[in-house]
Amino acid sequence: MKLTSIFNLLPSKIVYAHCDIPCGIYDPHQAQVAAHTIIRMTQMIGELNYDDNIESKRAFASQMARLTHVKEEHGHLVEDELGTLQNDYFKEEHFAKFTNLKELLEKATKLSVKTRQNIDMESAKELLETVMQIAEIFYKSKGLSPFRTKSPYPTEGEIVLHK
Amino acid sequence: MAPTFSEMDSVLVSSIPLLFDKPKKGEVVVFEKYNRLYIKRIKKIKDGKYFLAGDNKKDSLDSRRFGSVKRSQIKGKVLFKL
């Protein structure tokens, strides 16, 4: 019996090397929106209050859990979106041309982890700033002209768009 | 996964090595995402998240979005091509 015949007896499944569609769609927009969401959740957590009765304390605990959950989720989203750009989109020539790109990506991940672990507005704002700098590099790498504009979100921070 | 693996190749995958050791950077693994099994190489491990990429990197526009996967989504290590 040949060795391959033995392997044929093993259970087999089909595995794929790619997503269903080779979309080529990359965009730093979602990471920026997620960074704004982290700032907003941090703001809302800071505004939470409770009175000295059990109902109020329960409502406080419930709302705190919800806000923290969303903050955590969007921290992961920033990390995933930037991870996709870093691993799937940015190539050696991008890192050579934009010499601070690697440092910015590492910094953003560290800041995102920090904002998930703490209630830290300073880090949340620094995270948005770092993500915006990455967005500017991304658009430049596409031959587009990025610009900063006031976001329409309650955070009142900026967002990077392109011409 | 070209040039390492091509379409219709058969590979032997085992979950046994993962019982003894965590998946490492550079290893080719099979993982589950979007209710399908995929084969990719581990490019980076950060904060318990595994970032995976194919070997065919000549055209970034032809890469696919995967983001990160958790340890629990990695089902086995690719041992060799049959």
Side-chain angles (χ1 to χ4, degrees):
Chain A
M1 191 186 241
K2 281 183 182 176
L3 191 63
T4 49
S5 311
I6 297 169
F7 287 127
N8 286 340
L9 299 173
L10 295 169
S12 67
K13 283 185 182 175
I14 292 172
V15 297
Y16 299 85
H18 304 299
C19 296
D20 285 352
I21 300 165
C23 62
I25 295 172
Y26 299 98
D27 199 315
H29 186 73
Q30 249 183 319
Q32 292 189 84
V33 173
H36 272 278
T37 307
I38 293 167
I39 292 178
R40 185 64 184 137
M41 291 305 111
T42 309
Q43 276 175 349
M44 290 174 83
I45 288 169
E47 289 162 7
L48 277 185
N49 259 319
Y50 61 87
D51 298 326
D52 195 15
N53 61 69
I54 191 69
E55 287 79 18
S56 176
K57 284 176 185 171
R58 278 189 188 131
F60 170 86
S62 166
Q63 188 65 354
M64 176 64 89
R66 296 186 70 205
L67 297 176
T68 305
H69 173 72
V70 173
K71 180 164 73 70
E72 184 79 14
E73 239 178 19
H74 283 76
H76 285 295
L77 190 58
V78 169
E79 292 154 41
D80 279 358
E81 287 293 315
L82 295 183
T84 300
L85 290 180
Q86 184 170 6
N87 294 307
D88 286 1
Y89 174 71
F90 287 126
K91 294 190 284 188
E92 291 304 319
E93 59 255 41
H94 295 133
F95 289 104
K97 187 173 177 190
F98 305 100
T99 49
N100 60 340
L101 177 58
K102 193 169 182 285
E103 189 192 319
L104 286 171
L105 287 161
E106 282 170 5
K107 187 181 170 188
T109 306
K110 280 182 189 156
L111 284 166
S112 179
V113 172
K114 212 171 160 192
T115 61
R116 287 195 287 110
Q117 288 171 336
N118 305 287
I119 303 165
D120 183 346
M121 184 57 92
E122 204 177 306
S123 295
K125 285 184 175 169
E126 206 182 340
L127 172 64
L128 176 63
E129 171 57 36
T130 311
V131 170
M132 286 200 297
Q133 288 180 31
I134 295 166
E136 285 166 338
I137 290 176
F138 173 86
Y139 291 131
K140 280 179 195 167
S141 77
K142 291 271 190 187
L144 301 165
S145 306
F147 65 94
R148 291 184 178 210
T149 186
K150 191 181 170 189
S151 76
Y153 316 132
T155 55
E156 296 185 342
E158 290 183 312
I159 194 157
V160 174
L161 300 173
H162 66 82
K163 286 178 191 163
Chain B
M1 282 297 288
T4 319
F5 303 117
S6 310
E7 204 171 340
M8 302 307 289
D9 275 354
S10 294
V11 292
L12 186 69
V13 180
S14 175
S15 59
I16 295 167
L18 302 180
L19 297 174
F20 303 103
D21 208 359
K22 287 180 184 171
K24 291 187 204 71
K25 186 180 164 182
E27 287 181 342
V28 180
V29 293
V30 166
F31 63 97
E32 194 178 272
K33 196 153 186 175
Y34 316 127
N35 295 317
R36 267 189 168 186
L37 290 170
Y38 291 96
I39 182 169
K40 291 266 175 189
R41 194 178 294 280
I42 298 172
K43 198 163 178 209
K44 190 175 76 178
I45 306 163
K46 209 167 192 179
D47 302 315
K49 293 176 180 185
Y50 293 78
F51 290 93
L52 301 125
D55 285 352
N56 187 0
K57 294 282 284 177
K58 66 181 176 195
D59 181 2
S60 72
L61 281 183
D62 202 36
S63 290
R64 279 69 166 173
R65 296 174 62 91
F66 270 101
S68 65
V69 301
K70 292 180 202 153
R71 166 73 185 82
S72 58
Q73 289 171 273
I74 298 177
K75 302 299 175 193
K77 192 173 150 180
V78 176
L79 300 182
F80 52 83
K81 190 158 96 174
L82 298 177

